[in-house]
């Protein structure tokens, strides 16, 4: 059995990078409970790809809704009940939206992006921390974006939310530093998922910015989801207990 034998993982987001994370951690011996916001069929398909004893089930989750978070990730929630407790949280969700300069962006869209990409992860971390601290062990990995370091033209709200994840991780790392609970951010650049393909094919600013971003990657290609999952697996491992409050770019050198 691998280095994650017996681990109990709550995975928020089961498509693209999330699916790669589930496959990697399951292969290493963990049990995974997945959540989705709307793609029930995608979560079910992922569960079918994992060994039966590695998949603990799935549930719909609106991470920006405190009641929904408590129902799934809080004490007595469906994830903990299915797993027998939660010792690992991996959040991979993002907000799908076309790029637009800030002055033309609908305020409602700005709020929804920030709720999805910052408030949601914050509520999830809040929900699982007490159990981890009491148990004396926990690993939290938030998957963001290198836009949080560099900023992305036409994506001010998301870039701000992703940068906010860095502050969240650093603050919580200080709160939990005297325990074996860690929190870190994996910060991918362009990654070969359906989301990237759709953005590259989009008209207007979205397609132009994403094509330019991809051309700027020194490695000359997008990341593979499995490469992002490898970084998540390292930070979620027991051996990474002295790494906390950090942001790890998996971007082919896009930011250095």
């Amino acid at each position: 059995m691998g280095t994650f034998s017996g681990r109990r993982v709550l995975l928020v987001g089961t498509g693209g990078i999330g699916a790669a994370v589930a496959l990697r951690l399951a292969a290493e011996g963990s049990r995974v409970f997945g959540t989705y916001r709307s793609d029930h069929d995608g979560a079910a398909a992922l569960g079918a790809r994992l060994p039966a004893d590695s998949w603990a089930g799935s549930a719909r989750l609106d991470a920006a809704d405190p009641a929904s978070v408590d129902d799934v990730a809080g004490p007595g929630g469906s994830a903990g009940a299915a797993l027998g407790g939660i010792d690992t949280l991996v959040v991979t969700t993002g907000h799908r939206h076309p790029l637009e300069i800030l002055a033309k962006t609908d305020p409602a869209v700005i709020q929804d992006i920030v709720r999805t990409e910052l408030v949601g992860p914050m509520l999830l971390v809040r929900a699982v921390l007490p159990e981890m601290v009491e148990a004396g062990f926990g690993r939290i990995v938030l998957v963001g974006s290198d836009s949080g370091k560099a900023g992305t033209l036409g994506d001010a709200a998301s870039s701000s939310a992703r940068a906010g994840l860095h502050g969240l991780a650093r603050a919580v790392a200080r709160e939990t530093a005297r325990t074996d609970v860690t929190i870190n951010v994996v910060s991918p650049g362009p990654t070969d998922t359906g989301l990237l393909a759709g953005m590259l094919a989009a008209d207007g600013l979205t397609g132009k910015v994403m094509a330019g971003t991809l051309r700027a990657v020194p490695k000359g290609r997008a990341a593979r989801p499995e490469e992002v999952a490898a970084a998540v697996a390292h930070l979620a491992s027991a051996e990474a207990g002295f790494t906390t409050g950090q942001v790890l770019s998996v971007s082919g050198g896009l930011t250095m």
Side-chain angles (χ1 to χ4, degrees):
M1 193 62 79
T3 57
F4 285 84
S5 179
R7 294 285 290 279
R8 300 161 298 170
V9 180
L10 171 57
L11 173 66
V12 180
T14 53
I17 290 172
V21 169
L23 291 165
R24 173 65 183 260
L25 298 187
E28 294 284 349
S30 66
R31 295 190 74 223
V32 179
F33 186 95
T35 75
Y36 57 90
R37 186 171 183 179
S38 59
D39 189 7
H40 171 271
D41 292 345
L46 173 60
R49 296 172 64 189
L50 301 182
D53 59 352
S54 296
W55 183 245
S58 64
R60 183 185 180 280
L61 172 68
D62 179 356
D65 176 4
S68 181
V69 170
D70 285 345
D71 286 345
V72 175
S78 57
L83 290 166
I86 299 166
D87 56 36
T88 305
L89 170 68
V90 180
V91 182
T92 72
T93 53
H95 187 281
R96 294 187 178 222
H97 54 273
L99 303 188
E100 183 59 272
I101 63 172
L102 182 60
K104 294 184 178 181
T105 304
D106 187 327
V109 173
I110 293 172
Q111 291 180 321
D112 197 38
I113 292 170
V114 174
R115 288 177 72 251
T116 300
E117 296 187 347
L118 179 57
V119 176
M122 190 178 300
L123 292 176
L124 285 159
V125 171
R126 176 183 178 274
V128 302
L129 267 180
E131 178 183 354
M132 292 181 178
V133 171
E134 182 177 357
F137 176 85
R139 295 289 183 267
I140 300 170
V141 183
L142 309 175
V143 179
S145 166
D146 251 16
S147 66
K149 288 185 175 182
T152 295
L153 176 65
D155 212 10
S158 182
S159 297
S160 300
R162 299 306 199 178
L165 291 180
H166 305 174
L168 170 63
R170 290 165 182 151
V172 173
R174 294 186 183 280
E175 294 178 7
T176 58
R178 295 305 178 98
T179 70
D180 193 12
V181 176
T182 68
I183 177 169
N184 294 285
V185 179
V186 170
S187 184
T191 304
D192 188 12
T193 63
L195 175 60
L196 177 62
M199 296 183 78
L200 288 170
D203 294 330
L205 189 62
T206 301
K208 291 178 181 178
V209 169
M210 294 313 300
T213 300
L214 188 55
R215 286 194 299 270
V217 176
K219 281 285 188 181
R221 63 172 176 86
R224 295 186 291 271
E226 296 77 13
E227 292 172 316
V228 181
V232 171
H234 167 66
L235 292 173
S237 69
E239 291 82 359
F242 207 62
T243 303
T244 192
Q246 302 304 306
V247 180
L248 174 60
S249 287
V250 184
S251 62
L254 185 61
T255 60
M256 298 188 188

